């Protein structure tokens, strides 16, 4: 409404819906890039990348939701103060995150808030609950789109207290590695702190790193390879390393169980299957890896590869 009024005062034509959509998409992306920057440079600012909560008011709340659930930006929690999340978007985000860790969501809104905020919030809450995800929706009686931090909510707490309680719950526990059932015996071999381990990420882009990591966490991917010309990349049988997601956040500890050298055209169906990508066929492996190594400027039909099999030892940051 305010944007429309300003454009009218300035003698500008009304903004088309597609223009507003473009502005919001740009805002979502700006928000996401800002969070990514903080995560990348967390050491410069004294920030624990495992204890970041995303939040905002109105459009800022929508940006926080988009970054956390749409862009899958790692966060300890999300706070949306009178920021609308469309139920259709919520359903899509939840379906895409099926079986994966997603941050808890706190929604705060006024009883007489913007029409779409009032309409969307209860439906979004139902969808999160149905998907088994943590969500809390808190309403401020009699309030419109604007209310103070001292406004009382229906449960008797102030808005400030609601936010404080969620923040305390979300960031009070230090993230810890949780052992999977089939590798608990490896726990005794871990260093005192996984932060002492060397790190790496899969692929050559944040998106590919995330997609391959998902396959590892789901149990599908148990192998990887790289060009011999890149060296051993610190790998050795029995060694454990921390794998990062596309934003540089530690997600799991992997242990090398096999390390062999072979030509590209010598890779067999068993190894292609263990890499877990696509339909897990040898044909898919060859086509995908030819594209990958071509992007790196390293591909040749007879190029030598380091082929590694690994096991998932622990997940990091899950409770």
């Amino acid at each position: 409404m305010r944007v429309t009024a300003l454009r009218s005062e300035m003698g500008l034509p009304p903004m088309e819906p597609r223009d507003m959509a473009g502005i919001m998409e740009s805002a979502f992306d700006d928000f996401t890039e800002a969070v990514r920057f903080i995560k990348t440079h967390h050491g410069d600012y004294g920030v624990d990348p495992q204890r970041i909560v995303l939040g905002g008011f109105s459009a800022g709340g929508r940006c926080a939701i988009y970054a956390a659930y749409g862009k899958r930006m790692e966060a300890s929690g999300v706070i949306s103060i009178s920021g609308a999340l469309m139920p259709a978007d919520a359903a899509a985000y939840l379906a895409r995150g099926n079986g994966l860790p997603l941050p808890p969501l706190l929604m705060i809104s006024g009883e007489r808030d913007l029409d779409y905020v009032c309409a969307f919030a209860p439906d979004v809450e139902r969808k999160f609950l149905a998907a088994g995800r943590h969500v809390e929706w808190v309403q401020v009686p009699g309030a419109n789109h604007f209310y103070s931090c001292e406004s009382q909510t229906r449960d008797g707490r102030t808005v400030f207290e609601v936010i404080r309680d969620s923040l305390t719950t979300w960031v009070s526990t230090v993230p810890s590695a949780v052992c999977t059932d089939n590798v608990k015996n490896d726990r005794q071999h871990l260093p005192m702190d996984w932060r002492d381990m060397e790190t790496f990420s899969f692929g050559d882009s944040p998106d590919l790193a995330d997609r391959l990591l998902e396959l590892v966490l789901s149990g599908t991917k148990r192998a990887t390879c790289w060009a011999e010309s890149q060296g051993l990349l610190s790998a050795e049988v029995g060694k454990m390393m921390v794998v990062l997601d596309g934003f540089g956040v530690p997600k799991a500890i992997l242990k090398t169980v096999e390390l062999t050298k072979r030509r590209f055209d010598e890779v067999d169906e068993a190894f292609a299957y263990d890499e877990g990508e696509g339909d897990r066929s040898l044909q898919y492996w060859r086509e995908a890896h030819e594209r990958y190594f071509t992007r790196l400027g390293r591909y040749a039909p007879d190029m030598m590869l380091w082929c590694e099999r690994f096991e998932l030892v622990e997940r990091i940051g899950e409770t």
Side-chain angles (χ1 to χ4, degrees), residues 24-38 52-57 59-68 71 73 78-79:
M24 289 305 303
E25 288 291 337
S26 296
F28 295 160
D29 291 341
D30 285 347
F31 188 103
T32 302
E33 288 303 316
V35 178
R36 181 182 290 117
F37 178 87
I38 292 297
I52 292 179
V53 173
L54 310 184
F57 164 72
R62 295 180 67 182
C63 289
I65 288 171
Y66 177 87
K71 288 290 189 179
M73 181 67 68
V78 180
I79 300 174

Side-chain angles (χ1 to χ4, degrees), residues 194-243:
W194 54 261
R195 294 172 181 82
D196 296 332
M197 294 183 184
E198 294 181 58
T199 63
F200 76 98
S201 58
F202 292 106
D204 60 345
S205 69
D207 180 64
L208 183 56
D210 284 342
R211 285 191 283 118
L212 296 181
L213 177 59
E214 287 181 19
L215 294 176
V216 171
L217 297 178
S218 69
T220 304
K221 184 174 179 63
R222 287 293 178 266
T224 190
C225 67
W226 60 92
E228 180 195 30
S229 58
Q230 295 176 268
L232 273 171
L233 302 182
S234 298
E236 60 182 87
V237 174
K239 183 175 181 178
M240 289 181 283
M241 296 180 68
V242 172
V243 58

